[in-house]
Amino acid sequence: MTDEQRSAMAEKLRSMTPEQLAALQKEQCIFCKIVSGQIPSKKIYEDQIMIAILDINPAARGHLLLIPKNHYMIMPHVPDGEMAHLFVVAQKLSECVLRTLKVGGTSLFIANGQVAGQRAQHVILHVIPRKEGDKVLEFTDTLISSEMVSKVETAVKPTFFKHLGLGGDEPKNDGGNSEEKKDSGSTGVVHAALEPDAPHPEPSAYKEHSASGAVRDEGVVKKSAKKVVASKGIPVVSQDEKVVPKRKDDDVSLDDIANLFK
Amino acid sequence: MKCEYCEIVEREGKAPILYIDEELVVAIKDKVMAPGQITIFPRKHYTILEMVPELLIAKCSVVANKVSMALFESLGCQGTNILISNGLASGQSVPHFGIEVIPRIEEDKVGLTWEGKQLNDDEFEMTMRALVEDVKKAQAEKAKKVEKETAADAAAANSESAVLGKDVKVVDDSSRKSGEGKASGEAVTKAKTKSQAVPPLVRNIRRIP
Ligand SMILES: [Zn+2]
Ligand SMILES: [Zn+2]
């Protein structure tokens, strides 16, 4: 796309209503086309809420993509019930992966936002078969100071409680008109939280979405990133525990996988 | 060796607990991929994902999404990752199932990527066939189990006090579908109405006393 085309496109997008925009996104979404069957896929599971297919460019053989049938661009848009459903199905599929592919573990992974590695405009839950030393989803744990930990606590707690539906008051969760709460409870909370600044946020829209939280003002996230570098050399936790007994490939059971920890 | 997560629950001050109830814990560890990372784990000790009861998985995942939203708003991060490392081979370092929510910013060096592989058609076909078969088996097992549970529920509902008194098992509708048609009897209907009135998943959320 040339710059001109791009700005013309941007102009066009600006003039659209949120509904039109959402429809356009859905129309263009590869994963919605996979769900509808317009694009062929290697489907291994389907129900009313989601499908699971093999990733065509997998991290490992048997890499599964769990895709909600509804078009949700980012994770906060996914209603509670569907989120829960995805993970419960993922648990079952993970077990199938362990059993069928005889791997030593699985990773369940969601990339939410571009900086987090989200490539598709549609929420996806990955189930990835794992083998020792496979160079998939590598990470390093770093020790952070107790001050940092409590800063995080102070900053995150109020918003987290808000999203849980727990205000300053004792939660009124028991009895009463729970029928109504069911409606507002599942999707309502999520959308209410997003609506003020971002009726139809894209992953990048979250940049502007940052609330006025104390931590944000101090730039703790950025600062601390430096701190981590400064205090590098703290051992990676997972590497301390590389006392993995060698097993034959074909006698993996769930108990074996769990027992490796003992 | 004591389990790190069980210790968080048992020993006050081991790690700040953002939230705890009878079923799950939301805590801030000091060994993290990025500051702001939050961990959600069942209060009870389950080593790997496959051992965790469905409803608990459901609740953990819903809470993870809410943690993620809170990170966006309170830390101003630009993305989040949800990660379950399941089994030593996946890098699971604590022998207690948990979900990590990791705040992400541009160029944060967190990693968590992979290199996509090219598989040939045969490999795809084989993998797909094996998985589809196993999934079908799992579905059949599940349907049988649900049928049994539904029957048990009906029996319990008939004995009246037991089920209606306390929390009816809140069942994810979708995972129940297969058994639903088979349930019969007025008592079951009653029990079901009750269970539908309870908000799913977040029913037991209470603050630390
Ligand atoms: Zn889509
Ligand atoms: Zn434990």
Side-chain angles (χ1 to χ4, degrees):
Chain A
M1 230 194 282
T2 68
D3 282 352
E4 236 166 76
Q5 281 171 319
R6 198 169 292 137
S7 63
M9 176 69 92
E11 187 54 47
K12 192 177 162 209
L13 290 179
R14 260 195 296 278
S15 67
M16 291 172 98
T17 67
E19 290 76 25
Q20 285 172 320
L21 210 56
L24 180 71
Q25 279 163 357
K26 191 168 150 56
E27 211 173 280
Q28 309 255 309
C29 174
I30 292 169
F31 288 90
C32 283
K33 287 180 183 164
I34 288 175
V35 167
S36 69
Q38 270 176 279
I39 295 178
S41 65
K42 306 221 179 280
K43 201 187 292 175
I44 73 137
Y45 174 80
E46 173 165 17
D47 60 30
Q48 287 163 313
I49 290 171
M50 52 151 292
I51 63 169
I53 63 169
L54 286 174
D55 192 328
I56 50 162
N57 192 212
R61 193 170 76 90
H63 180 164
L64 302 179
L65 307 179
L66 278 61
I67 308 166
K69 286 189 169 174
N70 287 330
H71 178 76
Y72 302 116
M73 247 176 76
I74 48 169
M75 211 173 60
H77 290 174
V78 182
D80 288 353
E82 292 187 36
M83 189 76 182
H85 184 85
L86 279 178
F87 274 83
V88 172
V89 172
Q91 180 197 34
K92 304 289 171 267
L93 294 181
S94 165
E95 189 171 343
C96 291
V97 164
L98 292 177
R99 202 161 42 201
T100 307
L101 303 178
K102 321 229 185 281
V103 288
T106 51
S107 294
L108 273 58
F109 179 77
I110 297 177
N112 183 37
Q114 231 166 14
V115 296
Q118 183 173 1
R119 300 282 168 266
Q121 304 274 299
H122 192 119
V123 171
I124 290 171
L125 170 57
H126 299 260
V127 176
I128 306 174
R130 297 295 308 277
K131 283 179 176 160
E132 204 68 43
D134 59 9
K135 294 212 170 9
V136 171
L137 289 173
E138 289 180 300
F139 61 84
T140 310
D141 276 335
T142 312
L143 209 57
I144 54 172
S145 68
S146 57
E147 293 86 69
M148 178 61 71
V149 170
S150 34
K151 254 185 200 163
V152 171
E153 184 184 13
T154 318
V156 174
K157 201 165 189 168
T159 25
F160 175 50
F161 271 48
K162 186 188 83 190
H163 285 296
L164 282 182
L166 307 176
D169 303 320
E170 240 0 83
K172 301 155 204 120
N173 223 2
D174 299 321
N177 47 356
S178 31
E179 200 85 57
E180 179 192 299
K181 237 178 277 162
K182 188 183 175 186
D183 291 335
S184 62
S186 49
T187 55
V189 175
V190 178
H191 290 299
L194 286 168
E195 236 129 44
D197 346 40
H200 283 267
E202 299 169 34
S204 61
Y206 270 110
K207 280 178 208 166
E208 288 93 58
H209 192 52
S210 55
S212 52
V215 171
R216 171 64 174 175
D217 295 336
E218 284 181 47
V220 165
V221 174
K222 290 227 164 73
K223 245 194 239 163
S224 55
K226 265 182 215 139
K227 245 187 216 167
V228 171
V229 177
S231 63
K232 69 173 186 222
I234 286 126
V236 181
V237 194
S238 54
Q239 280 178 358
D240 292 338
E241 307 204 22
K242 286 257 168 72
V243 276
V244 189
K246 281 272 168 269
R247 286 168 295 110
K248 268 192 287 164
D249 234 16
D250 50 354
D251 59 346
V252 189
S253 76
L254 292 182
D255 284 337
D256 288 338
I257 290 167
N259 284 337
L260 287 180
F261 287 102
K262 286 173 188 151
Chain B
M1 196 183 67
K2 193 90 181 103
C3 165
E4 190 183 320
Y5 290 174
C6 287
E7 214 174 326
I8 288 178
V9 177
E10 285 158 25
R11 226 178 69 207
E12 207 177 318
K14 171 97 166 74
I17 292 176
L18 274 184
Y19 172 82
I20 186 166
D21 64 21
E22 302 85 356
E23 291 168 325
L24 65 77
V25 181
V26 181
I28 309 173
K29 299 189 293 188
D30 59 0
K31 258 179 284 172
V32 292
M33 297 173 222
Q37 179 178 331
I38 310 279
T39 311
I40 298 129
F41 56 89
R43 187 163 181 161
K44 197 166 162 222
H45 183 90
Y46 301 101
T47 308
I48 56 170
L49 169 68
E50 284 73 11
M51 296 170 171
V52 185
E54 277 177 24
L55 279 178
L56 201 42
I57 292 283
K59 189 169 168 180
C60 286
S61 63
V62 169
V63 170
N65 199 4
K66 306 215 181 297
V67 167
S68 162
M69 292 183 239
L71 293 185
F72 274 109
E73 288 171 44
S74 61
L75 301 182
C77 60
Q78 300 149 358
T80 57
N81 287 124
I82 307 287
L83 179 66
I84 298 175
S85 297
N86 185 38
L88 269 187
S90 75
Q92 183 181 356
S93 57
V94 179
H96 187 134
F97 165 81
I99 303 183
E100 305 291 347
V101 184
I102 306 126
R104 300 294 305 270
I105 53 170
E106 213 118 19
E107 288 165 22
D108 58 12
K109 308 217 165 53
V110 166
L112 292 177
T113 58
W114 62 81
E115 195 101 27
K117 289 184 180 58
Q118 295 295 331
L119 298 186
N120 63 44
D121 288 349
D122 283 353
E123 283 176 297
F124 265 125
E125 258 337 288
M126 259 172 44
T127 312
M128 182 161 117
R129 235 176 294 141
L131 279 173
V132 164
E133 200 176 303
D134 198 51
V135 169
K136 283 210 179 104
K137 221 164 60 192
Q139 279 177 289
E141 274 165 34
K142 174 79 187 170
K144 233 189 264 169
K145 213 176 130 202
V146 167
E147 204 175 318
K148 234 194 250 162
E149 278 170 10
T150 310
D153 280 358
N158 276 328
S159 75
E160 180 179 31
S161 58
V163 177
L164 294 183
K166 56 182 169 91
D167 236 340
V168 176
K169 255 185 261 161
V170 181
V171 183
D172 181 356
D173 285 337
S174 41
S175 68
R176 253 265 149 110
K177 287 270 147 58
S178 46
E180 211 150 44
K182 280 150 198 141
S184 62
E186 203 196 326
V188 180
T189 323
K190 233 157 113 197
K192 231 182 245 157
T193 320
K194 167 83 178 177
S195 82
Q196 270 159 8
V198 181
L201 305 168
V202 281
R203 71 197 194 286
N204 271 333
I205 284 183
R206 222 163 280 148
R207 276 207 287 163
I208 318 160

